[in-house]
Amino acid sequence: MGNEGTAKRSFIQWYKNKWHNDPLFSIFVALIVMVILQTLVLGFDYDSFDGWFESWTSNWINILRNNAGIGIVALGMTFVIMTGGIDLAVGATLVATGAFAMMLIDIGERGLLGLMGVTGVPAIALALVLVLLFGYLLGALIGITITKGMVPPFIATLGAMMIYRSVTQQTMQGYNPQVPTEFLQISGFQIGDLMIMPIIYWLIIAAILYYVSKRTIFGRQIIAVGSNERAARLSGINVDRVKLHVYALMGLLVSIAAIIQVSRVGAMDVSGAGRGMEMDAIAAAVVGGTSMMGGRGFILGTVYGMLIIGVLNNLLNLFGAPPLLSDAFKGFIVIVAILLQRKGKIT
Amino acid sequence: MKIEMTNIKKSFGNNEVLKSISLTINGGEIYALLGENGAGKSTLMNILGGIHQADEGAIMIDGETAQLHNPVQSQEAGIAFIHQELNLINDLPVYENMFLGREPKTKRGSLDLEKMLHETEEMFKKMNIQLDPRKMVGDLDSSYKQTIEICRAMMTNASVIIMDEPTTSLTDSEIERVFEMMKTLKSHNVGLIFISHKLQEVKRICDRYAVLRDGVLVSEGSVPDVTTDDLARFMVGHDVRTEPLAKERNLGKEVLRVEELTHHPFFRNINFSVKQGEVVGVTGLLGDGRSELFQSIFGADDISSGKIYIDGEEVKNNSTIKAINKGIAYLPRNRKENAIIQDMDILENSSIATWPKFSKAGIINNEWHLKKFEDLKKTLRIKMQDPTDSILSLSGGNQQKVVLAKWLATDPKILILDNPTQGVDVGAKEDIYDIILKLADENIAVIVLSSEASEIIRVCDRSLVMYQGVIQGELIGKEMSDHSIMNLATGGELAEERSEK
Ligand SMILES: Nc1ncnc2c1ncn2[C@@H]1O[C@H](COP(=O)(O)OP(=O)(O)OP(=O)(O)O)[C@@H](O)[C@H]1O
Ligand SMILES: [Mg+2]
């Protein structure tokens, strides 16, 4: 025994220590377990390794691509929750910005940019900028309501949710914009023969926000504000400004998700799209270790959380589980994730 | 009731905090637990309170092995605990806080609010506290909160009460009333464990003492047999300076002036000015409004009327950011609520105020902050492991030093310190006084808010004494004494004070 025994023991020690002290570790382990499960379920019933690998990767690319938009929204939601807030308006902001994008680039006779004489690639570039600005603005409006109006985030975003969606629906009534094919390249552009642009956007944004949360003043101030608002103010932090920026950033990220969605399918159903998105985003953040009390949150954890939920949906598909039950499983995962983290918490 | 703790050991990770401690506490005695910041006092008491579990060792209550695996078991065993940091629910009124966890019920099973209110009123009357029990705790100043915690523990009919630095926010007259209560409890055979860095208090009220140093019991005995100097020496391992501090300095130009400053209902018609190189004390009793006054000057609170001048220039639309940029630093009292950010590590808690100043394109300059913190850590002798550990892994006094480090790092022109030595041990207190005087020598204006007259007298050149929101009088140099400060703080007049001389 000797060597082997101590090696095993020190691994267990390391594992225990990690489990108790690194809040991301338990989430990561859960993710790995689910990936293994998923791989087993996919099976190895292939002629060659290449055949298996191809099917495995294409399944994964599907998961990632399907969750890229909401994954981006969940990143913003992480910041919002870290300040001690919540944003219920993301789904409505998604349709508002998506509809705005379609109105701008419509190649039919009502297209706004077309009417102004801007067409082709410049029109698309201009549209992108305007949509991002619009998303930022819609978020900032919520932020101002919360900070200057001192309306609790739950109420402010609940109100915004209803306003944004219903105004969008009214505006888009009986209007079917035609999205130009160039616009579809934003999501549809292929690298090799893989359609992975949405995944790349997600990863880039996750990387940027990870850096923001770790190293920038803004990122650290978010934690301070969510953890102890009074102490943050007494340390010279402009609490209102931080919150305002967090909601504005949320709006901006939602508008990116909207662009991805519109450019994937070439249309958006303004009454159905984005419904329940806020709950999925919150679920991803919470599974990833973000505390609803504010202060504690992890961008990387939210990426894991999103993947866990994505793999779960995929598994349910593979198992042929009744689609109506998929929310039940999601709810179950959220609760289990919280229980796991409770155990891993340092007291 | 008799509590025996034998060979208690406790480590946090690799940090061996308690190294085989044995103590016996009897009913009907007041037992002082002393030691430097980080010596292990709170940890030992947390084990008795069921919050932490000892790695080794046993606890016997009245000769029987006690199982204290959680706070409830400890309470059921008859132990009440007043924690070092405040533990009240801000969103409940005072009287409900008094009965947290042991709420009386009516016959129909609902909360007996009448009874809670009534008993709280009785208690406050006994303690001579003028406070409406229906007030929300969140609206109260930290000294009221501390008083409430003490009353709450005393109402539980516990056989042993642990008091972990219960008097850090209180002024002398409130402390006096707490002592009266302690004596009454003692005569009813209740055992009291009293942790404090104020050795005069220990000397006055305690029967026996134990001193911890680095997790080892280094001295134990009977309080009447020793002097406060002895106790100080046992704690830090060498003599603690007691001689007066040198205060000869040349004052520069005026840096801060306020005119007719008013914020109802906290303070009104405040006028004073402070010069470079001056150390000005501000003191008073509960409800004097001094913290509110300086929070307003710092831009954290509004003013109703009046003017604030910094460097001769009027400040309008004040905010904390503006104040910091103008060179004001304000260390607030009550660190848990006003300064400690639980979800951040030690380094971040020490650097949050300087992030904007030492950053590039919004990215924090970590190297600078780490270097600065290492310096301050040495000067302040902060006892800690790693700068990236949680702030909550530090002992109370060391957390206080981190908060002080944060404000020293801002290189202020005007340094406002509100109860700066809260929970800081005798040796470290002298370190902080040295820092204050050194800063004054470097032409910085220092304003010390304190409820301890001795602290004001020791470091300040002059002192403003407040009484119910107004400046009752100013005492300069030798005029400052326990007596004169108390006289003004209770509403006495300066003129009679001077004519007595
Ligand atoms: N939860 C914890 N995790 C890690 N280390 C801890 C924890 N609690 C206390 N410590 C460490 O244990 C040591 C003793 O801390 P303790 O709080 O008991 O000191 P203390 O004697 O009460 O000091 P003070 O006078 O400052 O309150 C310190 O070095 C502290 O850093
Ligand atoms: Mg302590």
Side-chain angles (χ1 to χ4, degrees), chain B residues 30-311:
Chain B
I30 305 181
Y31 192 91
L33 187 56
L34 307 174
E36 279 184 295
N37 294 134
K41 307 179 293 294
S42 297
T43 307
L44 187 63
M45 290 303 108
N46 280 335
I47 289 172
L48 197 52
I51 293 149
H52 288 323
Q53 304 301 308
D55 298 337
E56 277 175 50
I59 301 174
M60 313 263 272
I61 296 181
D62 288 333
E64 278 175 47
T65 306
Q67 299 296 335
L68 305 174
H69 295 304
N70 55 52
V72 175
Q73 284 181 342
S74 170
Q75 272 163 30
E76 280 167 358
I79 300 169
F81 200 154
I82 303 170
H83 287 275
Q84 184 166 10
E85 312 292 343
L86 298 172
N87 269 306
L88 297 169
I89 301 196
N90 279 335
D91 299 322
L92 284 180
V94 171
Y95 67 91
E96 285 194 56
N97 264 286
M98 295 289 277
F99 289 90
L100 278 187
R102 46 178 206 99
E103 294 85 352
K105 299 267 167 66
T106 60
K107 281 197 202 89
R108 280 204 246 113
S110 56
L111 289 180
D112 193 344
L113 297 178
E114 302 260 298
K115 185 172 175 200
M116 294 196 217
L117 186 61
H118 181 71
E119 287 190 15
T120 307
E121 276 168 348
E122 289 288 295
M123 183 71 190
F124 283 180
K125 213 176 285 165
K126 238 192 309 186
M127 290 283 285
N128 194 12
I129 296 165
Q130 267 90 35
L131 175 66
D132 181 359
R134 275 168 289 240
K135 269 201 172 161
M136 282 296 178
V137 163
D139 297 335
L140 299 177
D141 179 80
S142 54
S143 40
Y144 281 111
K145 291 184 186 173
Q146 202 162 39
T147 323
I148 294 168
E149 295 244 18
I150 295 172
C151 292
R152 174 166 75 178
M154 290 182 168
M155 278 172 82
T156 56
N157 296 323
S159 325
V160 169
I161 303 179
I162 304 169
M163 309 175 85
D164 194 349
E165 303 193 35
T167 60
T168 46
S169 300
L170 303 187
T171 52
D172 293 341
S173 56
E174 291 129 38
I175 292 172
E176 219 48 52
R177 289 196 290 272
V178 173
F179 284 180
E180 285 309 311
M181 283 300 290
M182 288 170 71
K183 281 180 196 155
T184 314
L185 288 168
K186 177 176 144 181
S187 69
H188 288 97
N189 217 22
V190 173
L192 296 126
I193 304 173
F194 186 73
I195 300 180
S196 177
H197 293 291
K198 301 181 184 173
L199 299 178
Q200 267 92 7
E201 292 179 1
V202 171
K203 183 72 186 144
R204 271 196 48 203
I205 187 99
C206 296
D207 304 308
R208 287 198 302 137
Y209 70 89
V211 180
L212 300 188
R213 196 189 306 151
D214 286 330
V216 181
L217 187 72
V218 289
S219 163
E220 203 181 0
S222 157
V223 173
D225 299 343
V226 291
T227 64
T228 52
D229 290 352
D230 292 334
L231 291 175
R233 191 176 59 246
F234 296 153
M235 279 167 65
V236 300
H238 54 84
D239 278 317
V240 173
R241 178 184 63 186
T242 49
E243 57 266 27
L245 304 169
K247 296 189 197 165
E248 287 303 307
R249 267 186 313 274
N250 298 322
L251 303 186
K253 63 178 179 38
E254 175 188 283
V255 283
L256 172 69
R257 177 158 49 96
V258 305
E259 286 177 0
E260 294 296 315
L261 208 61
T262 301
H263 183 201
H264 295 294
F266 305 109
F267 54 86
R268 54 194 186 279
N269 307 102
I270 303 288
N271 293 290
F272 70 88
S273 81
V274 182
K275 294 200 176 82
Q276 289 176 329
E278 226 180 349
V279 184
V280 179
V282 183
T283 183
L285 300 181
L286 205 76
D288 61 356
R290 66 175 184 275
S291 288
E292 289 85 354
L293 168 62
F294 281 90
Q295 279 172 20
S296 291
I297 292 175
F298 184 59
D301 267 323
D302 298 334
I303 51 173
S304 322
S305 62
K307 288 180 177 146
I308 302 169
Y309 296 89
I310 294 168
D311 286 331

Side-chain angles (χ1 to χ4, degrees), chain A residues 51-108:
Chain A
W52 172 82
F53 187 70
E54 203 169 291
S55 140
W56 193 84
T57 19
S58 87
N59 183 50
W60 257 99
I61 286 176
N62 265 328
I63 297 179
L64 292 172
R65 196 174 44 217
N66 287 338
N67 289 292
I70 190 144
I72 290 170
V73 174
L75 296 172
M77 190 66 85
T78 307
F79 280 169
V80 169
I81 297 176
M82 278 166 80
T83 63
I86 195 162
D87 191 344
L88 301 177
V90 288
T93 310
L94 183 91
V95 290
T97 49
F100 183 61
M102 294 192 293
M103 286 162 69
L104 288 173
I105 53 170
D106 179 15
I107 43 177

Side-chain angles (χ1 to χ4, degrees), chain A residues 347, chain B residues 12 15 17 35-44 52 84 164-165 197 383-384 392-398 423 425:
Chain A
T347 45
Chain B
F12 291 106
N15 186 6
V17 174
E36 279 184 295
N37 294 134
K41 307 179 293 294
S42 297
T43 307
L44 187 63
H52 288 323
Q84 184 166 10
D164 194 349
E165 303 193 35
H197 293 291
K383 189 175 171 192
M384 50 171 275
L392 298 182
S393 73
L394 293 187
S395 80
N398 285 300
D425 70 46

